[in-house]
Amino acid sequence: MAILRFRALENSSNRKPIVVIAPSSKVSDFYGINVFDKEKMHKYLSKEVFRQLQEATHIGNRIDRKVAELVAAAMKNWAVSLGATHYTHWFQPLTGSTAEKHDSFFELSDEGRAIEAFSSSALVQQEPDASSFPNGGIRNTFEARGYTAWDPSSPAFIMESPSGKTLCIPTIFVSYTGETLDFKAPLLKALHALNNAAVPVCQYFDKNVSSVNATLGIEQEYFLVDIDMYNARPDLEMTGRTLFGAEAAKGQQLDDHYFGTIPDRVNSFMVDMEIESMKLGIPLKTRHNEVAPSQFECAPVFEDINLAVDHNQLLMDVMDKVARRHHFKVLLHEKPYAGMNGSGKHNNWSLSTNTGKNLLSPGNSPKSNLMFLTFFINTIRAVFEHADLLRASITSASNDHRLGANEAPPAIMSIFLGEQLTRVMDEIEKSVKDKKMTPEEKTALKLNIGKIPEILLDNTDRNRTSPFAFTGNKFEFRAVGSSANSSHPMTILNTIVADQLSKFHTEVEGIIKKGIKSDEAILKVLRKYIVESKAIRFEGNGYGDEWKKEAKRRGLSNVTTTPPALDAFITKKSIGLFERNGIFSHREVEARHEIMLETYIKKIQIESRVMGSIAVNHIIPAAIKYQNLLVQNVEGMKDIGLPKEVFSTQIELIKEISTHITVIKKKVDEMLEARKKANALTDIRAHAISYCDKVKAYFSEIRYHVDKLELIVDDESWPLPKYREMVTIR
Ligand code: ADP
Ligand code: MG
């Protein structure tokens, strides 16, 4: 092992940046060349078919067979013209990554000639072997099949690899009995619910609004590590994070990495990643260093949410592939290194109408500001009502390392509004009356509302510690983990907002029926919401211990681990919410809950096994080897008749090493017993809790002793690349 470490050190320090050549100096020449976007559809489809496809995309109309046939033919012709030989349905099973099943365009004609074919049925629906994807007991392997079905609202694209090109068709994945088995289908359902709920509310202000969609811009944080370093760390390879490693003497204390210069090698990787992303129509825009050494971030321009999520999933694949070319490994884990900053995936979310209005952007008149306030306050009310569910939507074994640690949003959900909007909330609360308002009162209020500045983007007014912050014209959900599929939290967010908007509409209608004008009715309900949801608003430091106490006083929950956090997903309240809005059936909620627990158990189980094997098979032998050296040394000194005092330090070290070895071995054995006990539990929740509370509890103790050994044992024989070595990129 130590050989691997030293080879990695040598290789990584000898690397040169790889020269990347863009297809053209103008991005517009290659942006989206691998996407079957509107431009290509125009070219390959008749006007009528194009129109029908657009309608299906935007209004959700059904696509009839004939149209699908023509679209399939067009897609195939386009893909073959670019050299594609295969096609695949690209989908997002609950494993967390994306899945593909490749089929060839190749077919034999009646005369036995080879032809390229792609039928509408191959476009619209496929039957991958669903048995190998998690389904939470919805189907047992021999029962029914699952199938993938085309999502026309996300364009097909071509994935390039050294061995050829593949046409990828974004699809949803459902079981034969109709239950969803992926991340995309529920999101599409949530967007449908959102549209249904938001349009009637928009109509109070603007009769031209006929559809509402959510927009999303995902900031992606990640770490880079040299591929040879990665290969020399079995823990990174198997679990995505380092299970051991003493803190580097120089970590991020100096904060000199943030916005510092990007190393050339990394820059090459970024340029390459941007080119590949651009070709796929992923509008990557910013790149910079992050807080921790070897941590970086990229962000695209925001898009319609379904597309933004697909693009982020695709981006993670692209990053991984491109990194290999540059002898890097991308670490998307939320906490690859203990003691250093973790990675998140900030979800910048807003709502937008068919008329192009951002509903979370203040306008320049009282009317448009009231519209803004309506969506703004309803979002706050929704997050207040379902804070625990939103918390559950971002929970995972890996994100547990981040939330609640003092460098990421806490596990307590709260919303940051900023000073100006807090003031607006307070004014509405004071001035809107329970009784009918006088014309003077109304005018005064209108004037105030009209004063909300059009641009609220004041950087000094930003709070980086809030999990859910309003940032001028959008909310930023920062608690999402870097490795997560944003679909899930976004499904939850859009669902709770949809549900809230429906309630709002009902309440406002109730007041209007009593003869009160709509503006006043709206204000009354908004005021009520402001009062009701106060507890979720927090402008202070979210990292401090004070907030934990304050949050407790306010009745906000602070669940720091996954198994109990997931409870919020299956409460009566949540199930009612999902059913009411047509997102999940009761059965689907239970199945998903089970899958999430199962995933959690597997993750911790793997970490525990890897931890045990590295400690026993790599660390202890290295420590013994060094200990033997010390023993020899002591014996030699004794032989030549030196007094005890001369080798007392060696004796101390020998004893110290023995102590660490003994504890490590004992704890690894105990941990194995804890796993056995946990595995014997039949109830899946108890099983997961046991892994969380009993098995995981050994991690820090075992790690402590291994990390101590790292500081004692001869550097020459230490098997694992050290933190300093891994995070330094030359
Ligand atoms: P910061 O790091 O300061 O939070 P960035 O510029 O890195 O800001 O990221 C902001 C993200 O928010 C970008 O992806 C941007 O496209 C996105 N964004 C901006 N406006 C909207 C909007 N209306 N809806 C969704 N996302 C948005
Ligand atoms: Mg941000």
Side-chain angles (χ1 to χ4, degrees):
M1 275 303 283
I3 301 171
L4 277 183
R5 172 170 161 237
F6 286 103
R7 196 183 297 150
L9 273 170
E10 193 182 331
N11 289 348
S12 68
S13 59
N14 286 333
R15 299 216 203 274
K16 300 275 170 293
I18 299 208
V19 181
V20 177
I21 300 159
S24 157
S25 58
K26 279 192 297 181
V27 173
S28 54
D29 286 344
F30 58 91
Y31 183 76
I33 48 165
N34 284 344
V35 186
F36 193 61
D37 55 16
K38 271 194 190 156
E39 198 187 314
K40 279 107 187 178
M41 288 180 200
H42 257 306
K43 194 171 155 202
Y44 283 86
L45 293 170
S46 72
K47 272 212 174 89
E48 179 51 23
V49 174
F50 178 79
R51 190 187 60 78
Q52 288 194 33
L53 187 59
Q54 287 304 305
E55 270 182 22
T57 311
H58 298 298
I59 312 169
N61 286 358
R62 261 187 94 86
I63 293 176
D64 75 41
R65 189 108 215 148
K66 261 202 232 113
V67 170
E69 198 60 65
L70 294 165
V71 175
M75 260 186 207
K76 184 210 68 191
N77 291 340
W78 166 73
V80 170
S81 81
L82 289 180
T85 51
H86 287 69
Y87 65 90
T88 179
H89 275 194
W90 182 80
F91 59 105
Q92 300 167 29
L94 298 170
T95 45
S97 47
T98 54
E100 299 150 18
K101 175 179 172 269
H102 294 223
D103 278 308
S104 166
F105 287 129
F106 166 80
E107 252 169 48
L108 283 180
S109 70
D110 293 342
E111 303 94 65
R113 258 186 325 117
I115 53 166
E116 269 78 38
F118 182 53
S119 68
S120 67
S121 56
L123 165 65
V124 174
Q125 192 169 315
Q126 270 193 1
E127 296 190 4
D129 177 19
S131 57
S132 47
F133 296 105
N135 54 56
I138 279 180
R139 0 156 294 104
N140 27 51
T141 27
F142 47 84
E143 183 199 291
R145 284 167 306 232
Y147 60 90
T148 51
W150 181 31
D151 166 21
S153 62
S154 183
F157 55 90
I158 289 173
M159 195 84 107
E160 293 177 280
S161 75
S163 54
K165 296 182 180 181
T166 303
L167 171 68
C168 298
I169 298 148
T171 55
I172 57 167
F173 182 36
V174 281
S175 79
Y176 193 60
T177 40
E179 281 93 4
T180 58
L181 294 174
D182 70 342
F183 284 115
K184 186 193 258 285
L187 179 64
L188 294 177
K189 288 178 177 183
L191 295 177
H192 186 69
L194 175 74
N195 179 60
N196 286 346
V199 170
V201 175
C202 285
Q203 295 265 326
Y204 287 133
F205 310 96
D206 183 352
K207 295 283 178 218
N208 294 320
V209 174
S210 58
S211 74
V212 171
N213 197 357
T215 50
L216 182 65
I218 301 176
E219 298 163 61
Q220 177 73 53
E221 290 178 325
Y222 60 95
F223 280 84
L224 285 176
V225 63
D226 188 272
I227 189 71
D228 283 353
M229 296 282 184
Y230 175 83
N231 289 336
R233 292 281 319 212
D235 47 355
L236 263 190
E237 265 187 308
M238 311 282 284
T239 72
R241 72 177 180 110
T242 54
L243 299 172
F244 303 111
E247 263 181 60
K250 177 180 178 289
Q252 62 189 64
Q253 308 93 322
L254 298 176
D255 268 347
D256 51 358
H257 179 73
Y258 197 50
F259 289 127
T261 43
I262 296 172
D264 287 345
R265 239 185 106 193
V266 176
N267 199 61
S268 282
F269 157 77
M270 286 179 171
V271 171
D272 205 356
M273 165 176 86
E274 280 162 16
I275 293 169
E276 291 307 321
S277 302
M278 292 290 182
K279 281 157 78 180
L280 287 163
I282 305 170
L284 273 197
K285 209 165 165 216
T286 59
R287 50 167 116 127
H288 55 75
N289 284 350
E290 267 301 322
V291 184
S294 75
Q295 189 189 26
F296 308 92
E297 182 194 293
C298 61
V301 177
F302 71 92
E303 301 175 279
D304 277 355
I305 193 164
N306 179 35
L307 199 55
V309 170
D310 282 1
H311 277 165
N312 179 253
Q313 286 299 112
L314 202 49
L315 174 69
M316 293 195 286
D317 283 352
V318 169
M319 288 169 95
D320 193 58
K321 282 187 187 141
V322 173
R324 279 166 215 262
R325 290 209 279 268
H326 296 261
H327 307 287
F328 279 129
K329 178 74 190 173
V330 173
L331 305 178
L332 289 167
H333 192 285
E334 281 74 0
K335 194 81 174 175
Y337 304 104
M340 281 166 48
N341 248 59
S343 302
K345 179 179 282 189
H346 295 181
N347 279 217
N348 294 273
W349 171 90
S350 191
L351 298 169
S352 118
T353 65
N354 60 308
T355 56
K357 181 165 172 45
N358 176 353
L359 292 171
L360 289 174
S361 179
N364 47 18
S365 67
K367 197 178 180 75
S368 65
N369 276 343
L370 186 57
M371 188 175 192
F372 155 71
L373 284 173
T374 297
F375 286 92
F376 179 67
I377 295 170
N378 269 289
T379 305
I380 297 170
R381 183 70 182 79
V383 172
F384 166 74
E385 185 69 40
H386 298 284
D388 292 351
L389 181 58
L390 203 58
R391 159 72 183 99
S393 77
I394 45 143
T395 198
S396 66
S398 49
N399 211 16
D400 278 0
H401 293 284
R402 208 175 138 248
L403 304 179
N406 285 350
E407 37 89 358
I412 310 161
M413 284 296 128
S414 70
I415 308 184
F416 169 82
L417 305 187
E419 212 183 296
Q420 292 169 344
L421 285 168
T422 302
R423 220 179 302 128
V424 175
M425 296 294 103
D426 293 345
E427 264 167 35
I428 296 176
E429 190 183 337
K430 266 190 285 166
S431 52
V432 179
K433 297 283 161 15
D434 285 335
K435 59 178 178 26
K436 210 166 160 47
M437 290 167 77
T438 66
E440 291 75 35
E441 283 170 336
K442 268 193 233 170
T443 316
L445 185 66
K446 265 198 182 160
L447 217 70
N448 269 333
I449 290 176
K451 272 194 245 155
I452 301 174
E454 211 169 322
I455 295 165
L456 284 167
L457 290 167
D458 176 4
N459 274 311
T460 56
D461 202 23
R462 283 213 175 181
N463 182 326
R464 294 262 159 210
T465 66
S466 176
F468 201 90
F470 187 71
T471 48
N473 56 0
K474 60 188 189 295
F475 279 102
E476 187 168 337
F477 191 14
R478 301 203 184 106
V480 185
S482 49
S483 69
N485 182 326
S486 284
S487 259
H488 185 54
M490 288 300 108
T491 297
I492 303 299
L493 179 61
N494 288 298
T495 302
I496 64 177
V497 170
D499 194 63
Q500 177 55 50
L501 288 170
S502 308
K503 279 189 188 146
F504 173 76
H505 189 259
T506 310
E507 290 194 58
V508 170
E509 287 302 301
I511 300 178
I512 291 176
K513 274 211 186 89
K514 289 180 194 151
I516 291 175
K517 280 221 179 111
S518 72
D519 276 8
E520 200 178 333
I522 288 168
L523 277 164
K524 274 187 195 304
V525 179
L526 292 183
R527 175 177 184 270
K528 188 172 84 114
Y529 290 171
I530 291 173
V531 176
E532 287 169 351
S533 59
K534 251 190 193 159
I536 200 81
R537 278 162 46 191
F538 179 61
E539 303 284 304
N541 175 17
Y543 296 175
D545 277 333
E546 257 318 296
W547 172 226
K548 283 182 198 148
K549 284 182 220 152
E550 165 69 13
K552 199 169 177 188
R553 269 196 295 276
R554 293 188 189 186
L556 301 176
S557 37
N558 181 14
V559 188
T560 53
T561 53
T562 292
L566 284 174
D567 288 348
F569 198 60
I570 44 157
T571 56
K572 229 172 153 184
K573 183 175 170 184
S574 297
I575 293 171
L577 168 86
F578 292 134
E579 287 186 330
R580 195 160 61 238
N581 291 281
I583 315 298
F584 297 123
S585 66
H586 193 150
R587 204 162 116 91
E588 284 172 316
V589 179
E590 301 238 314
R592 259 163 216 260
H593 180 240
E594 204 176 289
I595 290 168
M596 291 187 280
L597 287 172
E598 226 168 68
T599 308
Y600 179 84
I601 293 168
K602 279 191 194 135
K603 288 254 157 86
I604 304 293
Q605 186 176 45
I606 293 170
E607 287 192 347
S608 168
R609 285 180 182 158
V610 173
M611 190 161 220
S613 93
I614 294 179
V616 173
N617 304 326
H618 300 264
I619 305 297
I620 294 184
I624 291 177
K625 200 170 143 201
Y626 178 54
Q627 204 180 28
N628 283 340
L629 266 182
L630 292 169
V631 171
Q632 267 173 27
N633 178 255
V634 170
E635 278 171 348
M637 289 207 238
K638 266 190 196 158
D639 283 353
I640 57 171
L642 289 174
K644 229 179 174 176
E645 307 87 71
V646 179
F647 48 82
S648 62
T649 307
Q650 284 86 326
I651 300 278
E652 278 312 309
L653 280 173
I654 290 166
K655 283 196 212 150
E656 226 180 292
I657 291 172
S658 283
T659 312
H660 291 306
I661 289 176
T662 311
V663 182
I664 291 171
K665 181 69 175 67
K666 182 165 167 277
K667 293 295 159 186
V668 167
D669 290 344
E670 283 175 25
M671 181 166 73
L672 176 68
E673 286 311 308
R675 285 211 302 271
K676 280 186 189 158
K677 271 197 194 139
N679 292 341
L681 296 166
T682 44
D683 175 65
I684 186 144
R685 185 177 177 278
H687 191 175
I689 297 261
S690 186
Y691 262 93
C692 179
D693 295 348
K694 299 280 162 43
V695 179
K696 209 178 67 175
Y698 286 100
F699 290 10
S700 61
E701 208 174 350
I702 295 171
R703 178 180 188 138
Y704 173 85
H705 292 278
V706 169
D707 290 357
K708 281 281 176 219
L709 282 176
E710 183 185 322
L711 299 174
I712 300 174
V713 170
D714 177 14
D715 186 66
E716 289 272 325
S717 45
W718 192 254
L720 305 172
K722 298 182 173 179
Y723 270 21
R724 171 179 41 82
E725 297 161 350
M726 282 187 287
V727 301
T728 310
I729 295 174
R730 263 180 280 268

